[in-house]
Amino acid sequence: MSPIEIVLWVAVPYVSIIAFVAGHIWRYRYDKFGWTTRSSQTYENALLRWGSPMFHLGILMVLAGHVVGLFIPREWLYAIGITEEMYHWGATVMGSFAAVLTLAGLAILIYRRRTVGPVFLATTVMDKVMYVFLALTLGFGTLATFVHQVFGSGFHYRETISPWLRSIFGFQPQPELMANVPILFDLHVLSALALFALWPFTRLVHVFSAPVGYLFRPYVVYRSRDDVQGTRAPKRGWDPISTPDPQRLRRP
Amino acid sequence: MKVMAQISMVMNLDKCIGCHTCSVTCKQAWTNRTGVEYVWFNNVETRPGVGYPRTYEDQEKWRGGWKRTKRGNLKLKDGGRLWKLAHIFSNPKLPEIHDYYEPWTYDYDMLLNAPAGDQIPVAKPRSLLTGEDTKISWSANWDDNLGGSLETMQDDPILQKMSESVEAEFSKAFMFYLPRICEHCLNPSCVASCPSGAMYKRAEDGIVLVDQDQCRGWRMCVSGCPYKKVYFNHRTGKAEKCTMCYPRIEVGLPTVCAETCVGRLRYIGLVLYDADLVAEAASVEDEHALLAAQRSILLDPNDPAVIEQARKDGIQEDWIDAAQRSPIWKLIQQYEVALPLHPEYRTMPMVWYIPPLSPVVDVVSGSGADGEDARTLFAAIEKLRIPIGYLAEMFSAGDPDPVDLALRRMAAMRSYMRGVNLDGEGDERIARAVGMPGEDLQEMYRLLAIAKYEERYVIPSAHAEQAHDLEEMGCSLDFEDGPGMGGAGPFGSSSGQSVPVAVENFQSLEARQTADRPSSPGRVNLLNWDGNGTPRGLFPPKGKDVPQGDMGPVQSTGKRNKGKDV
């Protein structure tokens, strides 16, 4: 176990996780107002109409695939009758489809962001950084899938990457599992870790605002004026003040 | 029965001269910021015309508001909850900025710094979206006063619905102005469309607001509102809308648009309504019955049963009193001259309009007849099919009868009051012809024509026991690029802590200025002395009656305390 491997497969993941969790907590407390999708649909709709749903639906499929591939031990899948071949075939076909959909959507969105004047002007530095790491992560992931899974002999990441990731979350890191992982998968993992560290400081925070509650609440929301002193707690030293008590001002 | 209070507005279109003062003052107060350059919480449209944003009334295109399902339930016209969530990545019914207009400024610098030359320098228009030179081709009031309407007027959704062609020639046109703000509906479809639950109707006064901290910019409210009165701030990525100037309303002041209205045509007051019946009233099958259904859920504030239930539901005495004096109640229920804008959207709007009689009077006077004679006016109202039909499409879902009645009552008031002024008494036959006693016509005249400030605006202030809630602390330097903020944060402009709404707390300011004691306890010096009382240490001792003990910061020596043992 070389020091560099320890850094890459133990230190970096934990730094990334801490930045991700603490960053979200900080951002939510500090910047609820900035917590938004920052949609640019009002500027331009013709490209967004295609690009945005393609990207988002694609990335949701990618997410679902990663949850199954990384967090569900293969023995569990064997137990319900999903063999290695079935899994490999399904993951490769559906994964490739999702990857193409996502990348095509992302390409449309980035093209739009660069060429449509108002959208480009509304792009922040953080947006650009985020796009770089998002594109790198998606690109390496797709490349790894195509090189090893589609055209190659197939790499069994469920023997290496998946248990390594689970070991990280179990606080018993096993960096040795990552020793013989192909470089494309390494790059995919590392760029993803960088993206996760950046996540809370980008517009990606809107992922955690997925409005699932909309399905269950009544249509019309009523709130009392008394409850609506903003949704954030007053900061220390800024407690609400009340008008001075007239009794205390009056002479006895 | 669940009694709730609603702050609502009535606008008397008969008096609107289309001066746009309301729009301008509103814009100065609320939307003179980046990101909302194109936004007018209050705008004034010339009708017939396409409106702002263009053709917003065409709900077959924009699909705002509610629709009635076959089973008699209400459903968002654009689709249910799942449909909304499925289209969250790209809202197909969202107006683009060009449906409003591309905001611009002028290259003023050119006027100052152009090199000497033969031509006078020109300030070219620049787009505020791209920063590039632009050609101004539309605005919020492009067809103001029917200007250019020959080209666009046929796109007016209401004219298309009527399948009538209106003479757009200036001399033959009928025309009126329609000032619009948020309707603060009883059954708001924008609130129902918001996936985040950030939009809400305030339980106390029914004002519909957007929680800026909770809004996530899903944009469904913009497309959900059939009046297109929720706007998307393209810099902050959040929805914004008319707030009914709630910081002013809470301290008993009318909204900015109403306060500055030159024609004094806006009325603000409370109505009490039965919240349990809203959904039922909004889902009446016959569109023509919607107006009556909405009127039926407004509760009579003088009815003892209503008063008792209102108390039970936590409505304070002064609010009940305000509801009883409300000009809105009188105009909607007593005189029945006020009508809602597009009741067929089923949102139960609460900004109502008195339809304009002036196009009718203009035609009558223009033809040389007597524009104040009741019979002539009645006949003209009957004869002028196109204006009535048009008004009916706007204010009563196409049913001409309510518009007809409102216009007749306005006409009757006009000629009845001529009788009062010229003959010393009004002609009771005129009053009877519109089913109102003469006194009511006189009272209506007083409310509509004299329009005293206190009668136009009956606004109970929010409650004193909650007064501290009204005071917002904030640094006045904390605006964008201001010295307190240092400009845009790392997440784009306007992220970070939001700037609090600055409240000029009218009542507390007045109370402080007229109080006979200092506003704050503690040591008073020349800088924080507000002129009241005689704070210790500020004046030289005055004779032997000045105590040397610790009697607190205030020492009154005026006549007020004469004889008291100090």
Side-chain angles (χ1 to χ4, degrees), chain B residues 2-285:
Chain B
K2 162 123 178 86
V3 181
M4 290 183 87
Q6 168 81 34
I7 289 275
S8 40
M9 190 185 278
V10 168
M11 299 190 212
N12 183 359
L13 297 186
D14 204 29
K15 292 165 83 178
C16 184
I17 58 170
C19 67
H20 299 280
T21 308
C22 47
S23 305
V24 171
T25 50
C26 172
K27 187 140 186 68
Q28 292 288 0
W30 292 107
T31 56
N32 59 349
R33 297 165 283 135
T34 49
V36 282
E37 308 93 342
Y38 74 102
V39 171
W40 298 79
F41 288 166
N42 181 109
N43 73 298
V44 183
E45 298 164 4
T46 302
R47 306 313 297 255
V50 290
Y52 157 84
R54 264 174 280 190
T55 69
Y56 69 93
E57 284 157 308
D58 183 359
Q59 301 310 334
E60 294 316 305
K61 180 181 179 197
W62 298 111
R63 309 198 70 76
W66 300 88
K67 68 174 176 199
R68 188 178 183 276
T69 61
K70 283 199 182 109
R71 281 185 294 160
N73 298 328
L74 277 188
K75 192 180 167 190
L76 287 170
K77 193 176 173 90
D78 197 20
R81 298 165 198 260
L82 281 172
W83 194 96
K84 291 265 179 200
L85 289 192
H87 291 79
I88 209 162
F89 303 129
S90 164
N91 180 349
K93 298 297 174 195
L94 186 78
E96 277 185 58
I97 200 143
H98 294 97
D99 290 313
Y100 302 88
Y101 64 96
E102 183 167 354
W104 73 89
T105 183
Y106 293 95
D107 187 6
Y108 293 110
D109 191 50
M110 183 58 86
L111 299 181
L112 299 174
N113 292 331
D118 295 336
Q119 269 85 34
I120 295 174
V122 174
K124 283 194 288 186
R126 284 267 172 88
S127 165
L128 282 169
L129 295 182
T130 60
E132 308 284 326
D133 287 348
T134 186
K135 186 171 173 291
I136 304 167
S137 57
W138 195 258
S139 79
N141 277 304
W142 202 248
D143 53 356
D144 203 19
N145 291 335
L146 302 184
S149 282
L150 282 175
E151 303 205 346
T152 56
M153 197 204 276
Q154 297 314 318
D155 295 334
D156 180 340
I158 292 181
L159 285 182
Q160 290 188 335
K161 224 177 188 177
M162 293 169 62
S163 61
E164 301 264 8
S165 61
V166 168
E167 294 276 5
E169 267 178 68
F170 188 71
S171 56
K172 295 183 191 164
F174 97 92
M175 176 186 100
F176 64 98
Y177 301 101
L178 181 73
R180 292 200 304 126
I181 63 171
C182 166
E183 298 282 339
H184 297 279
C185 305
L186 299 183
N187 186 31
S189 55
C190 56
V191 174
S193 305
C194 174
S196 311
M199 290 191 77
Y200 60 95
K201 194 166 174 62
R202 283 215 304 202
E204 285 87 354
D205 49 19
I207 296 176
V208 176
L209 294 171
V210 184
D211 184 335
Q212 291 288 305
D213 273 357
Q214 259 185 41
C215 174
R216 300 285 175 254
W218 300 121
R219 319 176 290 291
M220 288 299 170
C221 52
V222 180
S223 50
C225 171
Y227 304 94
K228 292 292 168 281
K229 275 292 170 189
V230 188
Y231 300 89
F232 187 72
N233 181 327
H234 59 87
R235 284 290 290 280
T236 62
K238 304 241 166 178
E240 294 189 17
K241 65 179 289 299
C242 160
T243 62
M244 202 77 180
C245 289
Y246 73 86
R248 292 174 59 92
I249 293 283
E250 283 175 0
V251 294
L253 293 173
T255 61
V256 169
C257 53
E259 178 83 85
T260 59
C261 176
V262 180
R264 304 192 296 179
L265 57 90
R266 297 194 185 217
Y267 297 79
I268 300 177
L270 280 184
V271 287
L272 302 180
Y273 69 100
D274 189 345
D276 287 341
L277 296 181
V278 170
E280 196 182 308
S283 44
V284 171
E285 185 170 9

Side-chain angles (χ1 to χ4, degrees), chain B residues 345-365:
Chain B
Y345 298 161
R346 298 180 184 272
T347 61
M348 305 263 123
M350 282 317 291
V351 173
W352 288 40
Y353 294 89
I354 299 172
L357 184 66
S358 40
V360 179
V361 175
D362 286 349
V363 169
V364 171
S365 315

Side-chain angles (χ1 to χ4, degrees), chain A residues 32 230-235:
Chain A
K32 265 185 202 150
T231 44
R232 64 171 88 93
K235 282 194 284 188

Side-chain angles (χ1 to χ4, degrees), chain A residues 78-117:
Chain A
Y78 294 161
I80 59 168
I82 298 176
T83 62
E84 191 65 41
E85 288 72 36
M86 285 164 70
Y87 172 83
H88 181 76
W89 190 84
T92 306
V93 169
M94 288 194 285
S96 306
F97 174 71
V100 169
L101 194 64
T102 312
L103 281 180
L106 186 69
I108 295 175
L109 291 180
I110 291 180
Y111 169 79
R112 167 180 181 273
R113 198 152 273 282
R114 185 63 195 86
T115 54
V116 179

Side-chain angles (χ1 to χ4, degrees), chain A residues 190-211:
Chain A
L190 289 173
S191 52
L193 289 174
L195 181 68
F196 289 138
L198 285 171
W199 194 293
F201 314 103
T202 66
R203 59 165 60 179
L204 292 182
V205 289
H206 76 265
V207 170
F208 293 95
S209 300

Side-chain angles (χ1 to χ4, degrees), chain B residues 207-437:
Chain B
I207 296 176
V208 176
L209 294 171
V210 184
D211 184 335
Q212 291 288 305
D213 273 357
Q214 259 185 41
C215 174
R216 300 285 175 254
W218 300 121
R219 319 176 290 291
M220 288 299 170
C221 52
V222 180
S223 50
C225 171
Y227 304 94
K228 292 292 168 281
K229 275 292 170 189
V230 188
Y231 300 89
F232 187 72
N233 181 327
H234 59 87
R235 284 290 290 280
T236 62
K238 304 241 166 178
E240 294 189 17
K241 65 179 289 299
C242 160
T243 62
M244 202 77 180
C245 289
Y246 73 86
R248 292 174 59 92
I249 293 283
E250 283 175 0
V251 294
L253 293 173
T255 61
V256 169
C257 53
E259 178 83 85
T260 59
C261 176
V262 180
R264 304 192 296 179
L265 57 90
R266 297 194 185 217
Y267 297 79
I268 300 177
L270 280 184
V271 287
L272 302 180
Y273 69 100
D274 189 345
D276 287 341
L277 296 181
V278 170
E280 196 182 308
S283 44
V284 171
E285 185 170 9
D286 179 12
E287 286 191 346
H288 288 185
L290 278 165
L291 170 61
Q294 186 167 0
R295 278 196 170 133
S296 73
I297 61 168
L298 305 182
L299 297 170
D300 183 353
N302 295 305
D303 180 350
V306 171
I307 295 174
E308 192 185 336
Q309 185 62 36
R311 285 188 187 128
K312 270 187 206 154
D313 290 330
I315 295 176
Q316 313 274 352
E317 287 301 322
D318 56 339
W319 281 56
I320 296 175
D321 175 60
Q324 288 166 348
R325 292 184 291 120
S326 166
I328 309 297
W329 169 258
K330 286 181 191 139
L331 292 170
I332 291 178
Q333 292 289 57
Q334 242 171 299
Y335 310 141
E336 294 187 56
V337 288
L339 303 168
L341 182 62
H342 291 301
E344 72 273 21
Y345 298 161
R346 298 180 184 272
T347 61
M348 305 263 123
M350 282 317 291
V351 173
W352 288 40
Y353 294 89
I354 299 172
L357 184 66
S358 40
V360 179
V361 175
D362 286 349
V363 169
V364 171
S365 315
S367 68
D370 183 355
E372 290 183 338
D373 179 62
R375 280 173 58 198
T376 320
L377 280 175
F378 289 167
I381 291 171
E382 222 151 76
K383 207 172 128 242
L384 290 174
R385 191 171 43 87
I386 291 178
I388 305 294
Y390 192 93
L391 292 172
E393 287 293 345
M394 298 200 90
F395 299 120
S396 53
D399 180 7
D401 295 344
V403 173
D404 192 72
L405 178 68
L407 290 185
R408 276 165 186 275
R409 289 194 161 166
M410 300 282 288
M413 179 184 81
R414 209 179 157 86
S415 34
Y416 185 87
M417 287 313 296
R418 181 173 72 165
V420 171
N421 287 328
L422 296 185
D423 309 333
E425 62 173 338
D427 183 350
E428 288 302 323
R429 281 173 307 175
I430 298 174
R432 269 200 304 279
V434 294
M436 275 172 97

